[in-house]
Amino acid sequence: MTDTLQPETSPVTRTLPRGHITADVLKDAGITFVIALLLFGSIVGLRTDTVNGVLVLIPQFGKALALATAVAVGRLLLDVFIWRRMTDGRTFASLIPSALPVLKVAGAVGVTFGLALYSIPGFRASLVAGAGSGHPALGAITDLITFACESTFLVIAAMSIVRAARLVIGQTPDEAVGQGILRRFTADFGREFPIALLLIALALPMLTAGPSQRYAIDTATQILIYVMLGWGLNIVVGLAGLLDLGYVAFYAVGAYTYALISTQFGWSFWVCLPLAGFFAALWGITLGFPVLRLRGDYLAIVTMAFGEIIRIVLLNWQSLTGGPNGINRIPKLTFFGLPFERTGDGTFASVFGLKFDPLHRMVFLYYVILALALLTNFITLRLRRLPIGRAWEALREDEIACRSVGINTVTTKLTAFAIGAMFGGFAGSFFAARQGFISPESFTFMESALVLAIVVLGGLGSQLGVVIAAVILIGSAERFRDLEDFRMLIFGLSMVLVMIWRPRGLMSGRTPSAFLNARKNISGSFVKEGRG
Amino acid sequence: MADGVSDATRDDLLRVENLTMRFGGLVAVDKLSFTARRGDITAIIGPNGAGKTTFFNCITGFYKPTEGRIALAHGSEAAFEALPAATFRGKQWTKANGACAVFLLERMPGFEIARLARVARTFQNIRLFAGMTLLENLLVAQHTVLNAASGYTIGGLLGLASFKRAEAAAIDKAAYWLREIGLVDRADDPAGDLPYGAQRRLEIARAMCTDPVLLCLDEPAAGLNPRESHELNALLLKIREEHALSILLIEHDMGVVMQISDRIAVLDYGKKIAEGTPDEIRADPRVIAAYLGVPDDEVEDVGAEVGL
C-alpha cells in the first residue's frame, strides 16, 4: 500500500538542495527545539509533589532542556540522513529493502549473542554490572539490549523446534516441498510464531533461573491476566464491533464474587470460578439491554458510565463490600485442596515431600491463569467458526444487512456482551485469589482504557495481536518501572507511532472463518471497525 | 413470457391493503393496495421519491407502517382464509390447512420476516459484509439453519457430527450459488474487493441463501452496464424458474423492467396510479404523465400528443 502513497517527508526537506547541513536544516531544528522546549517545559519541567502534606512545585528544567535537545538533534539527523534521501520520490518504507541485508546480519549477530547470554550463566549479569559501573544509564541500556537479544534467541529457538518437529512428522510448507533442507526449514518461518509463543509460555518457569525467576513469573502472570482480559474484550469490540469502555466492571464483578463468596461461605476457588463467570455474564446482559439501540460514541459513553457505576457502588456499599477498605484475607488458591503453607500437615510441600518454597504457589498461579487464558482463546476461536461468531462479525460489518438475512441482532449483541463479560469475570476471580486483597481502587477507568488499548494496539479481532500488545504494554510498564513518569510518555509516544504506521493495530486483517479453495487472510482495509 | 408455472396456479402470494406510511407530515405511502402473484416477477416503478423504497421497507419490516395490512401466504392463496381470524386475534402469523400459513408482515420484526415469512431483500446501496469472504457472506445468510444445527452454539462448541454435516451442506449450497452468479473463483476473497456489478450479484445470491419465498430487489440494475444488466435479466429469470420463487422488483432501468416483469405497478406520490402487464403500462397516459411531470388535468392532452 505504501508504494502508491506520497513520500511522507517534512515540508522543509522538499525544498532542500542535496548537500551538507544548510541554513534551512538548522532553522528547522531550531524551530523543533523551541516547540519541544515549550511542550517539555510545561509537562516535564514543572513537577508538583507533596512534601510534609504541602503541595510544592519542583522545577526540573534540566531534564526538559535535555529532552528538547534530544528531539532537535534527532530531527537534524533525520533531515540530513533520512528525509534528504527521500526527496527523489522514495518513501521511508522503500528504504527498508535496501537495509535488509544489514538487518539480517544484525539479527543473526543478536540471536548468536542471545544464545551466548542464555547459555553462559552469569554472563548477562556481569555485562550489565560492568556497564553499570561506568554509568547507570549505560547499565540500563545494556540490560535492555541483552534482554532483547536473549528473548529473540528464545523465540527463534522455539520456532526452530516447532519447524523441526513439523518437518519430522512430514508437514512441509507447500511452497518448499521437494526443495533443500535449508529452504524447507526457513520457508514461511513466521507462521510458527504462535506455537512457539505457546511453547515458551508453557516452559517459562523452567526457562528462568536464579534471582530473576520470581520476578519473571510474577510479571508473566500479570501479563496473562491482561491477555485474558484482552481476549474477552476482543469478543465485544473486535468481533461484534461494540465499543465497550466499561469492561473493568465485569472484572470487578468477578473479583468481588469470589472475594465475597469465599470469605463468607468458604467455598473453594474452583466452585466460585463458574459463579463469577455467571454473575459477570448476567451483568453483561444487564448492561447490554439498555445500550442495544446505542451506537458508536454514545455506546462508548454509556458503557464507560456503567463501569464507573459499578466502581462507585462497590465504594459506597460499605456493609457488603467494605467500601474503600476493600476485602482482605481472601482465601488463597490451593493445589486441589493442598494449601501452599510453610508449616502444618497436608500442605503441598509436605505431601509431595518437597522443601517449602514460595515459588511453588507462584508457578501454580501462573499455570492456572495460563490455562484460563488458553481456555478463553480456545472457546473464542471455536465460536468464531460457529454461526454465532459469524453473526457477531456480520453485525460489525453491517447491522441492517444482518436483519435482512434473519439474524436476531438483539440476542446476537447480548451474547457478545455476556460471553465477553464472562471471561472478564473469570479473570477477576483469579485476580482476587492471587492478590488476597481487593478494593475498588483496582477497578478504575484506567484499567478499562488499558485493556481497550491492548485490543486496539494488537489489531481489532486478532488473538495473536492481543498477546503481543499485552506483552509490550504490560511487560514494558513493568520493565521501565524505574523511569517513573517518563514511562507514560514512552507509552503515549509508542501508541502514536503505532497509530501512524499501523493504524489498524500490529496484527491487522482477519482470517476467514471458512474457506472453499484456500484460506487467504483479508486485508485490514476491508474490515470494518463497527459503529456499535 | 416463458412460464415455468402455468397461469392457473398463479394465485395471490402477497396482499397489501390500505398501506399508509407517514413521516411526520409527509405521507410517503398513501392508502396503497397491491397484490403480487405467486411465481410472478412484479415490478414497482415510479419517479424518484414516489415511495417505492418506503413500500419495500414496510414489507421487509425495516419500517412499521402507520396503517394497513401486509399479508403473505405460504403454500397457496387458500391460506388467506385464515387472515381475518389472525388479524382479529392479534397474531403475527398462523398456520392454515395443510402446509399453508399466512403471515402479517406489518406485525413482525424485520429479522422474523426474513427467518419465518421467508422474504429476502437486497439494498439500493449495496450492503454486503465487506470484510468477510464471499463464502462467509453466504454462510451468514444461512444463519437460521446453521444456528439451529449447532444446537444454538452449545452443540457446535462440543463439535457434534450433525453440525459438521449441516455446515458442509451449507458450504455446498453457498458454492452452488457462487457458481450460479459466476464468482466461484473468488469465493475466498473479501466481498468489499469485488467490482460493483459482482457485488450486486453477490447480494442476490446472499438473499437466495436464506431460502426465500419472495425476493425483493431494490434497484438491482442500478450502476450496471448494458451487458451486466442483460446477464442480470437471465439470472433472475433462471432463479425464478428453478427455485419456485416470486420476485418483487424496484427498477428504473426500463430495459430490465419491460423484458422480465409479468406485471408492473406504478407509484407516484405514494399512490398507485396504474397496474398491469408491461404492454398496458407502456401505453398508459397517466404513467407517461407521471414520468414527464404533467399536472393531472393535462394528462389527456399528453396522451393525445404521444399518440394514444
Side-chain angles (χ1 to χ4, degrees), chain A residues 203-430:
Chain A
L204 188 83
M206 280 76 97
L207 289 176
T208 52
S212 64
Q213 190 174 21
R214 285 179 64 109
Y215 178 70
I217 293 174
D218 210 37
T219 309
T221 309
Q222 186 77 10
I223 290 174
L224 278 175
I225 291 179
Y226 281 93
V227 167
M228 186 164 170
L229 287 172
W231 276 341
L233 186 62
N234 210 0
I235 293 176
V236 185
V237 180
L239 294 184
L242 303 160
L243 187 53
D244 185 351
L245 283 180
Y247 191 64
V248 76
F250 311 122
Y251 188 43
V253 168
Y256 272 85
T257 305
Y258 173 64
L260 287 172
I261 294 181
S262 66
T263 51
Q264 302 297 323
F265 305 112
W267 292 10
S268 98
F269 176 76
W270 299 107
V271 180
C272 293
L273 188 71
L275 278 179
F278 171 76
F279 281 118
L282 208 64
W283 280 106
I285 294 171
T286 313
L287 165 69
F289 260 113
V291 301
L292 278 173
R293 299 162 64 98
L294 299 181
R295 308 173 69 87
D297 307 349
Y298 302 95
L299 178 70
I301 290 168
V302 175
T303 51
M304 186 170 127
F306 181 80
E308 287 298 282
I309 288 170
I310 294 271
R311 187 177 65 85
I312 288 166
V313 167
L314 292 175
L315 201 58
N316 288 289
W317 196 348
Q318 288 265 3
S319 57
L320 182 73
T321 66
N325 299 326
I327 300 173
N328 55 22
R329 271 187 264 159
I330 301 166
K332 299 256 165 99
L333 224 57
T334 58
F335 185 80
F336 305 105
L338 307 177
F340 295 93
E341 299 284 346
R342 186 180 292 277
T343 53
D345 284 338
T347 64
F348 175 75
S350 71
V351 167
F352 287 89
L354 299 167
K355 194 170 160 289
F356 172 77
D357 189 341
L359 206 62
H360 293 158
R361 183 171 166 269
M362 291 178 64
V363 171
F364 179 62
L365 280 175
Y366 172 76
Y367 279 118
V368 168
I369 187 67
L370 182 62
L372 284 175
L374 289 177
L375 180 79
T376 309
N377 185 39
F378 173 76
I379 292 181
T380 309
L381 288 182
R382 194 105 206 204
L383 285 173
R384 262 204 72 202
R385 286 194 217 123
L386 289 179
I388 182 79
R390 271 191 218 115
W392 287 338
E393 292 204 75
L395 196 66
R396 175 193 67 206
E397 297 289 324
D398 196 320
E399 188 175 338
I400 288 176
C402 269
R403 278 193 269 157
S404 83
V405 295
I407 292 173
N408 185 342
T409 53
V410 171
T411 53
T412 307
K413 278 186 186 181
L414 288 183
T415 50
F417 271 120
I419 293 177
M422 181 181 78
F423 290 126
F426 287 161
S429 62
F430 174 82

Side-chain angles (χ1 to χ4, degrees), chain A residues 48-250:
Chain A
T48 53
D49 213 341
T50 43
V51 177
N52 301 329
V54 184
L55 199 66
V56 292
L57 202 62
I58 304 169
Q60 35 183 14
F61 289 113
K63 270 186 189 173
L65 202 65
L67 279 172
T69 313
V71 170
V73 170
R75 175 98 181 178
L76 190 76
L77 293 177
L78 282 174
D79 269 343
V80 173
F81 294 109
I82 307 282
W83 288 334
R84 179 75 56 78
R85 293 178 55 192
M86 295 194 295
T87 49
D88 49 8
R90 286 192 293 168
T91 61
F92 185 68
S94 73
L95 292 179
I96 292 174
S98 59
L100 257 183
V102 181
L103 288 176
K104 273 184 181 168
V105 170
V109 169
V111 170
T112 321
F113 187 46
L115 167 68
L117 286 167
Y118 185 73
S119 48
I120 304 170
F123 182 31
R124 189 169 156 228
S126 59
L127 261 187
V128 173
S133 65
H135 191 276
L138 213 58
I141 292 171
T142 315
D143 186 31
L144 195 65
I145 292 175
T146 50
F147 177 71
C149 287
E150 220 178 75
S151 326
T152 318
F153 160 70
L154 277 179
V155 171
I156 299 282
M159 285 166 79
S160 307
I161 291 170
V162 176
R163 173 52 59 97
R166 252 193 224 285
L167 291 185
V168 166
I169 60 170
Q171 278 188 7
T172 312
D174 296 340
E175 66 267 35
V177 171
Q179 298 192 17
I181 181 74
L182 194 68
R183 182 84 190 83
R184 271 187 289 158
F185 199 82
T186 52
D188 197 13
F189 196 60
R191 80 167 187 187
E192 316 297 3
F193 183 62
I195 301 174
L197 270 190
L198 179 66
L199 273 187
I200 292 177
L202 284 171
L204 188 83
M206 280 76 97
L207 289 176
T208 52
S212 64
Q213 190 174 21
R214 285 179 64 109
Y215 178 70
I217 293 174
D218 210 37
T219 309
T221 309
Q222 186 77 10
I223 290 174
L224 278 175
I225 291 179
Y226 281 93
V227 167
M228 186 164 170
L229 287 172
W231 276 341
L233 186 62
N234 210 0
I235 293 176
V236 185
V237 180
L239 294 184
L242 303 160
L243 187 53
D244 185 351
L245 283 180
Y247 191 64
V248 76
F250 311 122

Side-chain angles (χ1 to χ4, degrees), chain A residues 390 397 510 513 517 520, chain B residues 111 127 131 136 167 188-189:
Chain A
R390 271 191 218 115
E397 297 289 324
R510 67 178 282 272
S513 62
N517 304 316
K520 293 187 247 178
Chain B
F111 74 95
R127 286 183 174 276
E136 283 180 300
E167 190 169 38
D188 300 312
D189 289 335

Side-chain angles (χ1 to χ4, degrees), chain B residues 114-240:
Chain B
R115 205 165 69 90
L116 290 175
R118 287 162 60 197
V119 176
R121 72 169 292 178
T122 66
F123 296 88
Q124 197 173 352
N125 46 345
I126 304 172
R127 286 183 174 276
L128 287 168
F129 306 121
M132 304 173 88
T133 64
L134 273 61
L135 180 73
E136 283 180 300
N137 268 272
L138 301 190
L139 289 180
V140 170
Q142 300 175 57
H143 179 81
T144 310
V145 179
L146 280 176
N147 203 27
S150 78
Y152 298 93
T153 303
I154 293 155
L157 265 184
L158 300 174
L160 292 190
S162 61
F163 171 66
K164 285 183 183 148
R165 277 197 300 276
E167 190 169 38
I171 289 178
D172 283 347
K173 185 173 178 179
Y176 165 79
W177 279 108
L178 286 173
R179 276 192 297 276
E180 287 291 294
I181 60 171
L183 289 173
V184 73
D185 294 337
R186 305 208 55 183
D188 300 312
D189 289 335
D193 199 21
L194 291 179
Y196 195 81
Q199 292 198 8
R200 286 247 176 252
R201 295 206 299 279
L202 181 62
E203 223 192 0
I204 293 173
R206 185 180 69 185
M208 286 309 298
C209 275
T210 64
D211 267 334
V213 167
L214 176 65
L215 177 64
C216 301
L217 303 171
D218 198 346
E219 298 201 23
L224 300 190
N225 64 37
R227 191 175 59 83
E228 283 173 327
S229 44
H230 185 74
E231 284 169 6
L232 178 78
N233 283 356
L235 177 69
L236 292 182
L237 287 173
K238 186 173 176 218
I239 59 181
R240 193 260 305 255

